[in-house]
Amino acid sequence: MNSPFVTVIFGGTGDLAQHKLIPSLFSLFKQGELGQEFFIIGFARRPFTDTEYAHMLGDVTELHSDSKWAEFAKNIYYQQGLFDELAGYEALIRKLNVFDKKIGACITRLFYLATPPDNYLAILENLKNSKLSEGCGPAFAKVTASKQESVGKWVRIAIEKPFGRDLDTAKELDMRLSEIFEEEQIYRVDHYLGKETVQNMIAFRFANNIFEPVWNNNYIDHVQITFAQDEGIEKRGKFFDGVGIMRDVAQNHLLQLLATVAMEQPASFSKEGVRDARAEAIKAIRPIDPNEVSQSIVRGQYKDYTAEAGVAENSQTETYVAMKLFVDTPRFQDVPFYVRAGKKMPKEVIEISIVFIQTCHLLFKEYGCPEIGNVLTIRIQPDEGIKLRVIAKQPGGKVALGAVDMNFSYHQAFGNHGIDAYEKLLMDIFKGDQMLFNRSDELESSWKLISHILKGWESEKSGIPVYEPGTWGPELAKKLIEKDGKKWL
Ligand code: BG6
């Protein structure tokens, strides 16, 4: 970044700001990526001075012990305000005008919505009413050639997932956004798209000639995607209880992972080429009838979830979901995708496994074949890498077959894992590159699918199944895959 910029984080005292955005900005600063002049403003309800706010951020993340923190923290400011009251936004304008004056030009402004999603519409409304959405204040408008140019160039808006609560609210939010901003200004964030391992899926699939010929229903038996976290909801009870894992993780991260497997080769490695391919894959997921949800979707809640701070006493919010999905394209016709996400699982595993059709028995029937044959596993985290399970003859005089793994570890191959997802996405926003951000049509398709499921759940009479923390979820999740003669890996 050579030109100055300002990032306003709505929800500046929240979990996302504290644990992801600020540490990522700090890391970019240390790498020299933020240039000479930048300003970070946290916007939230609680009263803080600039110094108190910067202190709080440094304390929470323990970044203050880093020798560069003090220098970075000089660029941190705070604006107290309520999301639904204009006064805070007007005070924010005054602050921004001071920065513009200091620099002597219109500074690029990024408004980052890192609040719970039910605040989005109010924030958009006030960005519009205060004219913050239009960029620099009148005193500096002359700096740009025309208003049109100033709008596109000077203001960007980033919106965190979940983008809405269902199809209708997502559409409403999108409509509101597009009334206020041009599409080029809008960055719909799903940070999984910024992960090195997820970005690598396109390179892996389309830059290696050996995988594409077998990447279809002639060779693939089924696909498993696991998003398991050993942690619970931590201190995010209030937020999580209002959304559940379906909206928090499945509608976005899980479906994006699915899209990287199911998508066709993009027409070009360009913003729209890649977004088109992703959107088409999500659009092709077979819809689920709300009346038949229980046949292909399982939900669960970990034991004692309702005792967590911020969670309603009788909450029916799911902390686990497993889904059996199909992608109706010629490539994947009739290949089941089993995808699951859960909190308080036995360990953290976020990975995609492509399980190939087993043909070992054609030649080796009487010698015994391993139950599962070739599996290609893409480990998103931890221990980022790719593993191919192959069948091999076990050493010895007798013929006996076993399975062995060919392993590629990012860490071993490349030393470090590149940059963090939020660092990558923030850099892309500053550069104006939207490739790794959601377009509204892909969100609409994913919400169409998920809204049907949510509707089905609403009409279910039985309470949510409970699972023991530290297990792989409710018993029904096992049945979901085992009734098809397969097993979770
Ligand atoms: C967030 C979800 O989007 O992703 C969290 O809100 C989840 O519930 C997190 O824990 C996982 O992200 P990461 O990068 O830690 O794998």
Side-chain angles (χ1 to χ4, degrees), residues 5-10 21 25 34 38-43 75 77 96 107-112 426 430:
F5 71 91
V6 53
T7 303
V8 181
I9 306 177
F10 289 94
L21 299 178
L25 286 164
L34 295 191
F38 66 94
F39 307 87
I40 297 165
I41 307 182
F43 184 108
N75 303 286
Y77 300 81
L96 292 172
I107 309 180
T108 304
R109 294 172 181 177
L110 166 62
F111 298 119
Y112 201 116
L426 283 163
F430 298 144

Side-chain angles (χ1 to χ4, degrees), residues 20 160-161 191-192 195 227 229 231 236 239-240 248-249 252-253 343 348 350 381 422:
K20 300 281 189 190
E160 269 292 331
K161 42 107 320 215
H191 78 282
Y192 262 64
K195 292 209 182 245
F227 191 110
Q229 295 181 296
E231 60 186 31
R236 302 162 72 220
F239 161 79
F240 189 90
D248 183 39
V249 162
N252 33 76
H253 306 333
K343 301 271 182 195
E348 188 194 9
I350 301 179
Q381 66 192 40
Y422 273 100

